[in-house]
Amino acid sequence: MIVKDLILYQVATDRDYKVGDKIIFDASTQNGQFNRVYNFSFKIDSLRPSDIVYSNANKKFGRFKNKETLYQLANRLEYYDVLVKELALEEVRQEKFSNLPSRLHSMYLSLSKEAMLENFESMASSLEKKGKHFQAVAVKCNGNIFKAGKFYMSREAESYDYYRKKAYGYWGQKDLKDEEVKEILFQGEAEIVEIFAEIKK
């Protein structure tokens, strides 16, 4: 859907936006989701996660020495699920819904200020987000948006084929009511028009 001067909302992470900043999101933009899919290394201290688990499993009294290692393993499993899901979504989008904004090259936005501020509080209070810079911002959008939510793609640790089949439902949704919208993908020119809150951790 093409929009002009539509105000939407975002929790920006490590962007250091200023009011008046203009950002272009197009097919060459590498957003956070793109980096999670294409640039994330799964190694932990130069080792494959599977090697760490095998090593512990093969020891008579194999145990992980600290919670940090367990957290890192869980994190790698989570990111692998992101990778499989997002690649399947993008493949189906390119094949059947190429007119819609890509999840890997879009700005992620909220329809309501209230939902964005709730998300801002949740993200900013998370212990694992140490060292991050969060901003709750209003964005004026001129370009193409896609609303998703009624059919939501969560991380389910399923197969590539499973995610591909679900992707048709995700990209095929339209005419959502405002209360059904969970995320908005945007490509085009975004202008920061207001900063409501800011936290540097």
Side-chain angles (χ1 to χ4, degrees):
M1 171 194 305
I2 302 300
V3 297
K4 181 172 173 53
D5 295 339
L6 178 66
I7 303 298
L8 296 170
Y9 305 91
Q10 184 191 48
V11 178
T13 307
D14 294 335
R15 295 291 183 180
D16 196 27
Y17 286 141
K18 304 284 187 293
V19 172
D21 283 355
K22 292 184 179 179
I23 313 101
I24 301 296
F25 282 81
D26 58 24
S28 66
T29 303
Q30 296 182 6
N31 64 12
Q33 201 73 324
F34 180 97
N35 287 316
R36 278 187 282 276
V37 170
Y38 288 104
N39 298 324
F40 183 78
S41 172
F42 289 86
K43 290 183 178 179
I44 300 171
D45 297 329
S46 301
L47 296 171
R48 296 184 312 159
S50 54
D51 291 335
I52 295 170
V53 175
Y54 289 140
S55 173
N56 276 267
N58 289 329
K59 290 178 183 173
K60 188 172 183 180
F61 300 105
R63 290 183 180 174
F64 295 104
K65 293 178 182 174
N66 57 49
K67 289 183 180 178
E68 180 63 22
T69 302
L70 283 174
Y71 173 80
Q72 290 174 325
L73 288 167
N75 175 260
R76 295 330 185 255
L77 290 170
E78 178 83 8
Y79 269 52
Y80 184 75
D81 203 16
V82 169
L83 182 148
V84 174
K85 174 176 75 81
E86 293 299 335
L87 287 177
L89 274 160
E90 181 61 11
E91 185 174 75
V92 169
R93 186 196 69 82
Q94 289 179 3
E95 288 173 2
K96 300 290 183 184
F97 303 93
S98 59
N99 60 310
L100 300 178
S102 167
R103 290 174 55 84
L104 305 177
H105 304 283
S106 292
M107 188 177 213
Y108 284 69
L109 299 162
S110 295
L111 191 59
S112 78
K113 178 181 170 182
E114 293 72 27
M116 178 272 299
L117 287 172
E118 188 176 308
N119 194 24
F120 174 80
E121 292 298 330
S122 173
M123 290 176 72
S125 64
S126 173
L127 292 175
E128 65 185 65
K129 305 289 186 183
K130 223 171 178 177
K132 296 287 186 182
H133 177 198
F134 298 98
Q135 293 174 298
V137 301
V139 183
K140 183 166 69 175
C141 302
N142 286 287
N144 189 15
I145 66 168
F146 172 70
K147 296 178 182 179
K150 191 174 181 181
F151 193 102
Y152 193 65
M153 290 284 288
S154 56
R155 300 166 194 172
E156 301 178 53
E158 288 288 353
S159 69
Y160 190 81
D161 189 54
Y162 171 89
Y163 284 129
R164 263 191 60 91
K165 287 173 182 170
K166 283 198 78 172
Y168 285 92
Y170 176 86
W171 292 117
Q173 57 192 324
K174 52 189 173 183
D175 301 324
L176 271 66
K177 297 174 184 172
D178 286 357
E179 60 270 20
E180 295 173 321
V181 177
K182 290 187 179 177
E183 65 185 6
I184 296 174
L185 307 179
F186 168 73
Q187 284 188 330
E189 183 184 86
E191 180 182 352
I192 307 302
V193 293
E194 190 171 354
I195 298 173
F196 302 105
E198 195 164 357
I199 294 177
K200 290 185 180 180
K201 297 189 79 175

